[in-house]
Amino acid sequence: MASGAEAKKVLFICLGNICRSPTAEAVLNHVLKQRGLEGWEVDSGAIGSWHVGLGPDRRAVNVMKRHNIPMDHKARQLTKEDFNHYDYIFGMDHENISDIKARAPKTYTAKIELFGSYDPKKELIIRDPYYDDDDKGFEKCYEQCLRCSEGFLDSLK
């Protein structure tokens, strides 16, 4: 492996799993590929069940296409099994972290962290662009996820 980072299992969680978390999933997979890192398992899920089975928001897909990053995901909800399957469960904001911890079994092995804690610009909250009228918030979300993905991988060296 190029950076010496051991393969991990990473799960991104946001409220509905159609904006921020599938963007983070796609971006981390892209950065892993760029770095020549193999064997990682990266997925994303939701706190709520509203969008289960649906693809990402069209605006998220458009932003990923502009950056030549493949995005192929169907929304799913966080499960109890996820807490012992994944090494890291990343929430996009403090409310996500609270919801994740509230759904956790009594014992689990995953590290639950705010994805933004890896942002070198210290923007802790990954912007939720769901209610925006255009792609600008999705572009911001992409930029944050790119910085956080790089920062996370760099922290494992």
Side-chain angles (χ1 to χ4, degrees), residues 128-148:
D128 187 354
Y130 181 72
Y131 292 105
D132 292 1
D133 293 330
D134 57 22
D135 290 0
K136 288 179 185 164
F138 287 85
E139 182 66 30
K140 167 89 173 163
C141 177
Y142 157 75
E143 291 168 4
Q144 288 179 284
C145 288
L146 182 59
R147 291 193 312 263
C148 293

Side-chain angles (χ1 to χ4, degrees), residues 37-57:
L37 297 173
E38 297 176 355
W40 286 63
E41 182 180 333
V42 182
D43 197 3
S44 62
I47 297 297
S49 61
W50 314 280
H51 305 293
V52 169
L54 300 177
D57 186 292

Side-chain angles (χ1 to χ4, degrees), residues 13-64:
I13 298 294
C14 68
L15 193 57
N17 193 213
I18 61 168
C19 298
R20 296 177 291 174
S21 58
T23 297
E25 174 189 348
V27 170
L28 180 59
N29 275 321
H30 177 73
V31 173
L32 287 167
K33 187 175 180 182
Q34 284 183 321
R35 291 186 180 204
L37 297 173
E38 297 176 355
W40 286 63
E41 182 180 333
V42 182
D43 197 3
S44 62
I47 297 297
S49 61
W50 314 280
H51 305 293
V52 169
L54 300 177
D57 186 292
R58 65 173 171 70
R59 297 166 294 173
V61 173
N62 290 342
V63 168
M64 293 296 96

Side-chain angles (χ1 to χ4, degrees), residues 97-139:
I97 295 295
S98 295
D99 289 339
I100 292 165
K101 288 180 177 178
R103 286 163 174 74
K106 287 185 180 182
T107 60
Y108 58 90
T109 56
K111 293 179 184 174
I112 299 170
E113 297 182 335
L114 202 58
F115 191 43
S117 67
Y118 291 96
D119 187 347
K121 287 191 174 183
K122 304 295 184 214
E123 290 182 13
L124 290 180
I125 306 306
I126 306 297
R127 188 185 186 300
D128 187 354
Y130 181 72
Y131 292 105
D132 292 1
D133 293 330
D134 57 22
D135 290 0
K136 288 179 185 164
F138 287 85
E139 182 66 30

Side-chain angles (χ1 to χ4, degrees), residues 44-91:
S44 62
I47 297 297
S49 61
W50 314 280
H51 305 293
V52 169
L54 300 177
D57 186 292
R58 65 173 171 70
R59 297 166 294 173
V61 173
N62 290 342
V63 168
M64 293 296 96
K65 281 182 181 175
R66 280 200 298 270
H67 293 283
N68 297 310
I69 297 175
M71 179 183 249
D72 181 28
H73 180 78
K74 296 289 182 220
R76 74 172 186 87
Q77 202 167 7
L78 177 66
T79 67
K80 294 274 188 219
E81 294 76 27
D82 291 332
F83 290 89
N84 288 304
H85 179 78
Y86 290 93
D87 299 306
Y88 293 89
I89 299 177
F90 289 123

